[in-house]
Amino acid sequence: MKNIDIKDFSIQPEIKLSELPTRIDLEAKTSKIEKKLQKTRRNLSEMQNKLYAHSKYSVLICIQGMDTSGKDSLIREVFKDFNVRGVNCYSFKKPTLLELQQDFLWRHYKRLPARGKYAVFNRSHYENVLISRVHPKIVLNENLPHINQVEDLNEEFWNKRLRQINQFEQIIAENGTIIFKFFLNISKDEQKNRLLRRLNKPHKNWKFAPEDIEERQLWLKYISAYEKAINSTSKSYAPWYNIPSNDKPTARYIVAKILEERMSTYTDIQYPTSDLEQNIKFYKDKLKAE
């Protein structure tokens, strides 16, 4: 099986998404890739336990991608061996009335991981510069000062929002949150195949919505929004990774490998030491004597 270098997936601005791969050949059968994933996620599970016990860092994982890019199944497969007490997954839907009365990052701040824990954002704060940019009428619901019509949402507005995202991520990174941002990159043809699969399989019909066809017509607008967002926010403290996702098992393994390799660089994350080892015999003898 071909070895991978996680640096090959790190996004360094300026990029064009059309030039990034949507498929990579690991020169191995699917069964081999899945076995490698199983081994990697066991290592991640042990790292998670150590992070939980150490309780000084937290980990935020943001997963973005076009519809059908495999976000849900990737989360299920990569984090399958995690202890549920140390990981939370959030999917951000349409903002509630209460959330619309706050700044656009407020509901995301509320879901940030506590020290020692992981949080997985299935779609994230980036929706505020992705779907909101493609459908700018959404922003009018926020009732912002000086924003009275779609025409007020100029390039200056979007640049300001991207700058605020950078500031948000820098603040949490400087306070101990390790940030991963994954763009699940699929081709337009692969999306068509996956939508057809949902229609052809009755048990998957529920995953299809007529809006999927309408949104597909806006593919180039979404790609443009992604390019601007990724190029503006891929920073050393919060890097973006391009994950070729036309093949789901390969995408899952790459994400797991990136997590494993980067987390292994935090050598200060260790199980806490205690004086217990010096007194183990004493406590064992005391219990036996009961």
Side-chain angles (χ1 to χ4, degrees):
M1 180 170 166
K2 181 180 178 181
N3 290 325
I4 62 173
D5 186 342
I6 68 171
K7 293 179 182 177
D8 293 339
F9 304 96
S10 179
I11 296 178
Q12 304 296 327
E14 295 278 327
I15 56 96
K16 284 190 173 296
L17 290 184
S18 61
E19 298 174 357
L20 297 180
T22 58
R23 183 181 296 276
I24 184 173
D25 184 6
L26 295 184
E27 301 173 3
K29 294 181 179 179
T30 297
S31 58
K32 176 69 172 179
I33 296 171
E34 289 176 342
K35 285 182 179 179
K36 292 286 284 186
L37 172 60
Q38 290 171 9
K39 180 179 178 181
T40 304
R41 72 182 181 217
R42 284 196 296 268
N43 291 340
L44 285 173
S45 176
E46 175 57 29
M47 289 178 173
Q48 181 213 12
N49 286 333
K50 195 178 294 184
L51 179 92
Y52 187 87
H54 187 248
S55 196
K56 289 193 176 183
Y57 291 96
S58 58
V59 179
L60 173 63
I61 299 168
C62 301
I63 299 178
Q64 292 285 161
M66 304 288 264
D67 289 340
T68 78
S69 59
K71 296 181 289 294
D72 292 342
S73 61
L74 183 143
I75 292 169
R76 181 190 69 229
E77 295 301 320
V78 171
F79 300 99
K80 185 177 288 185
D81 291 340
F82 273 45
N83 189 319
V84 294
R85 70 179 180 179
V87 59
N88 292 302
C89 182
Y90 303 101
S91 182
F92 294 96
K93 304 296 185 181
K94 181 179 178 181
T96 65
L97 179 59
L98 175 61
E99 290 168 342
L100 288 171
Q101 293 174 329
Q102 311 291 333
D103 70 87
F104 76 95
L105 288 169
W106 180 75
R107 65 176 180 156
H108 305 287
Y109 261 113
K110 291 176 61 181
R111 301 304 186 193
L112 288 175
R115 299 194 192 283
K117 294 193 175 186
Y118 278 69
V120 182
F121 284 4
N122 182 357
R123 299 189 185 272
S124 66
H125 44 291
Y126 281 94
E127 292 295 286
N128 297 283
V129 289
L130 294 171
I131 189 172
S132 294
R133 192 162 192 162
V134 175
H135 298 284
K137 286 185 178 180
I138 293 173
V139 180
L140 300 183
N141 295 327
E142 298 178 31
N143 202 28
L144 295 168
H146 313 299
I147 303 297
N148 302 308
Q149 54 190 350
V150 168
E151 288 71 24
D152 295 329
L153 300 171
N154 53 24
E155 201 64 23
E156 181 182 357
F157 172 85
W158 296 113
N159 288 338
K160 178 176 69 174
R161 192 154 271 200
L162 289 165
R163 174 176 52 80
Q164 291 167 343
I165 288 176
N166 281 331
Q167 291 170 337
F168 162 65
E169 292 177 349
Q170 186 171 10
I171 289 171
I172 64 175
E174 289 176 352
N175 284 275
T177 298
I178 303 167
I179 304 172
F180 295 85
K181 298 183 295 192
F182 298 110
F183 171 60
L184 305 191
N185 193 2
I186 63 169
S187 65
K188 192 175 183 181
D189 283 344
E190 179 61 22
Q191 186 194 61
K192 179 179 72 174
N193 292 336
R194 293 182 183 182
L195 288 173
L196 285 170
R197 198 173 303 132
R198 290 179 178 181
L199 291 170
N200 289 332
K201 295 187 176 183
H203 69 284
K204 289 186 178 290
N205 287 172
W206 67 272
K207 298 181 74 174
F208 180 84
E211 293 79 13
D212 294 337
I213 302 297
E214 297 172 15
E215 290 295 282
R216 185 171 161 77
Q217 307 311 309
L218 302 172
W219 182 275
L220 291 180
K221 288 188 176 182
Y222 273 106
I223 292 297
S224 176
Y226 266 107
E227 282 183 357
K228 290 173 182 176
I230 290 172
N231 282 328
S232 298
T233 61
S234 193
K235 306 294 183 182
S236 59
Y237 53 83
W240 275 101
Y241 296 92
N242 176 67
I243 308 300
S245 297
N246 277 9
D247 180 71
K248 288 186 178 183
T250 298
R252 296 163 187 167
Y253 172 65
I254 293 172
V255 167
K257 191 65 177 175
I258 291 171
L259 290 170
E260 180 189 42
E261 289 201 16
R262 261 193 66 197
M263 291 304 298
S264 68
T265 65
Y266 289 84
T267 55
D268 57 322
I269 299 178
Q270 299 292 335
Y271 287 109
T273 58
S274 71
D275 297 330
L276 181 61
E277 292 181 7
Q278 301 174 10
N279 299 295
I280 285 180
K281 186 177 184 305
F282 168 78
Y283 292 123
K284 287 170 68 174
D285 291 343
K286 190 170 184 178
L287 285 168
K288 290 177 181 178
E290 288 184 354

